Amino acid sequence: MTAVLGGCGLTGDSDGVTLKLVAADYGDSKDNSSQKYWDELVKSYEAQHPDVQVDVTVYSWNDVDRKVREMVEAGKAPDMAQIGAYSDYADKGLLYRADDVLSIPVQADFVSQLAGAGQVNGVQYGLPFAASTRVLFYNKTLFDQAGVEPPKSWDDLADAAEALKAKGVKYPYALPLGPEEAPAETMQWMLSGGGGYTDDVGTYSVDSPQNVTTFTWLRDELVGKGLTGPVAPGKLNRADAFAAFANGDVGMLNGHPSLMKMASDKGVKYGMVTTPGIDGESKNTLGVSDWMTAFKKNGHQDEVGDFLDFVYSEENVLDFSREYGLLPVTTSASQTMSTAAEDEKLKPFLDELLLSQLYPVGKTSWASVSADVKKHIGAAVATGGSPKGVLGQIQATAMRAGSAE
């Protein structure tokens, strides 16, 4: 859904300042559009700050990054943009540093993994706004029918998938490596095999031996044995995999918190366990964060900072996280949520957040690498595909893009 309020220009008059914020929509209907969240938050803020107005435009995730890029290129950058990436804007010197706009208590309250991922060359420009992690969801009913237990290792997962297939389950394990969110599923599997997109010092290592082993196993032990369903992994998008799980057609898949509500609404009895690893539970999981950015263009540093301090208050962070089934990005809100009865179902994800690794979003090259993963990773697990060749191709893209940083 796309909801638009106000114009694209920034206004200011003798009565005060108008700040322009562009934000992404986390809702799945008009009733829970992010526009409603922001309208209520802004109303509360403006009541306390009559000299500042905040004009919010909400776009769908399909459009928001492009819309902001177009605004910036046209010389009409918003004061703030809540989007999927920040490093290219930081690299061009367009953004305020976190400590330019946030008070010390607010900046210090960010969860450390997320704050670290918001840095370019040791300086924080990306303000984490919403977070999620991944766990393995499984359909309890289908597992009971197949007589299997939730898996702890890759071998357990393959054995469970075989049993589910024998019972006629459509997708024993749903492997969404389609272009919508291939980088997430890819990284989750890399981590479970002891690898990742980068090594311990932050250098790209897409074609590491660990990653080649992981994707060779996926090709031979899951995809090649018909355990990933009727749609080729390279063509299966995350949204379709989630919908299939909610329809009772998937035995297991990696999922984030929003899948809980989807499954419950359809009456699916599900369980959640730590992602299986190569020889037991995975020691790391994927963490994902979206970002708030503050642009220098219009010069409203003090007003932007004051508003963002309000946005990141514990009450507002909790309200947003609970509305959309996401994890809070601040330590204070995380601690509250971890002990609140109403948030009990999110506790597995909160626990995983402390062990999570995030995309290398501080690298301006990440956009090119991510695009290459979306385009090619499905071929790594296809019948007759070459994991080493495909991962090597993506590594070459990473090295070329990284050399320009």
Side-chain angles (χ1 to χ4, degrees):
M1 191 194 86
T2 301
V4 181
L5 288 184
C8 288
L10 184 100
T11 61
D13 53 43
S14 58
D15 295 326
V17 168
T18 297
L19 301 177
K20 177 67 178 176
L21 166 64
V22 175
D25 194 355
Y26 291 84
D28 54 14
S29 69
K30 188 173 182 179
D31 289 339
N32 72 343
S33 164
S34 293
Q35 190 74 57
K36 289 184 65 176
Y37 169 82
W38 284 111
D39 287 349
E40 291 175 11
L41 184 145
V42 165
K43 183 178 179 181
S44 175
Y45 179 79
E46 290 178 349
Q48 302 170 38
H49 302 82
D51 56 335
V52 178
Q53 288 186 305
V54 185
D55 187 7
V56 183
T57 308
V58 171
Y59 293 107
S60 76
W61 270 111
N62 293 331
D63 300 320
V64 67
D65 287 280
R66 175 177 55 83
K67 290 286 190 180
V68 171
R69 186 172 63 251
E70 290 171 352
M71 292 171 71
V72 171
E73 290 172 352
K76 298 180 179 179
D79 293 279
M80 296 160 284
Q82 186 267 300
I83 46 181
Y86 67 86
S87 60
D88 51 343
Y89 298 125
D91 187 57
K92 294 172 183 174
L94 302 178
L95 301 180
Y96 286 118
R97 298 158 50 122
D99 56 11
D100 287 334
V101 289
L102 296 178
S103 65
I104 292 173
V106 169
Q107 188 178 357
D109 197 25
F110 287 129
V111 173
S112 60
Q113 284 93 334
L114 305 180
Q119 295 179 358
V120 175
N121 298 324
V123 177
Q124 186 179 354
Y125 294 93
L127 315 181
F129 184 75
S132 69
T133 54
R134 301 294 196 271
V135 299
L136 186 79
F137 282 73
Y138 65 96
N139 184 311
K140 287 185 173 182
T141 303
L142 297 180
F143 265 59
D144 288 346
Q145 291 171 354
V148 290
E149 296 293 322
K152 293 185 177 180
S153 68
W154 287 0
D155 287 344
D156 293 345
L157 188 149
D159 290 344
E162 288 276 15
L164 291 163
K165 182 185 178 184
K167 288 292 185 179
V169 175
K170 190 173 182 180
Y171 294 90
Y173 177 84
L175 182 64
L177 295 176
E180 180 195 2
E181 208 185 24
E185 186 75 9
T186 297
M187 185 167 172
Q188 187 77 352
W189 276 99
M190 286 178 169
L191 291 172
S192 73
Y197 286 118
T198 59
D199 61 20
D200 291 341
V201 296
T203 302
Y204 282 114
S205 57
V206 180
D207 61 349
S208 68
Q210 296 96 323
N211 292 341
V212 172
T213 296
T214 295
F215 279 84
T216 301
W217 187 89
L218 283 171
R219 181 195 64 186
D220 296 345
E221 302 301 324
L222 288 188
V223 182
K225 294 183 178 179
L227 302 179
T228 54
V231 180
K235 295 186 182 301
L236 182 64
N237 279 325
R238 189 264 305 163
D240 296 329
F242 278 20
F245 186 86
N247 287 332
D249 293 331
V250 174
M252 50 189 159
L253 82 171
N254 288 322
H256 55 63
S258 70
L259 185 55
M260 294 190 296
K261 184 175 187 301
M262 289 179 64
S264 296
D265 287 349
K266 291 289 192 75
V268 171
K269 295 179 180 178
Y270 64 87
M272 300 181 295
V273 294
T274 300
T275 302
I278 190 168
D279 54 7
E281 292 181 351
S282 179
K283 296 177 177 60
N284 297 104
T285 190
L286 168 68
V288 176
S289 180
D290 302 324
W291 304 97
M292 178 69 77
T293 55
F295 284 87
K296 296 178 179 178
K297 173 72 175 174
N298 304 305
H300 296 130
Q301 180 177 350
D302 292 342
E303 292 84 358
V304 166
D306 191 69
F307 177 68
L308 289 177
D309 276 357
F310 181 76
V311 168
Y312 285 106
S313 69
E314 181 179 342
E315 178 185 356
N316 287 329
V317 170
L318 283 171
D319 283 349
F320 179 84
S321 302
R322 287 166 171 162
E323 176 66 31
Y324 298 108
L326 293 163
L327 304 182
V329 296
T330 62
T331 301
S332 58
S334 295
Q335 290 173 342
T336 297
M337 191 174 269
S338 67
T339 57
E342 67 181 289
D343 302 310
E344 185 178 358
K345 288 185 176 180
L346 281 171
K347 193 165 189 321
F349 298 95
L350 286 165
D351 293 341
E352 292 289 329
L353 185 61
L354 300 176
L355 304 171
S356 67
Q357 292 189 25
L358 281 78
Y359 298 136
V361 288
K363 294 177 175 289
T364 56
S365 55
W366 171 242
S368 297
V369 177
S370 177
D372 222 38
V373 171
K374 291 178 180 181
K375 191 180 299 182
H376 298 297
I377 197 64
V381 299
T383 303
S386 168
K388 186 176 179 64
V390 171
L391 293 172
Q393 177 183 349
I394 297 170
Q395 174 71 11
T397 295
M399 297 305 289
R400 282 196 302 273
S403 66
E405 290 181 310

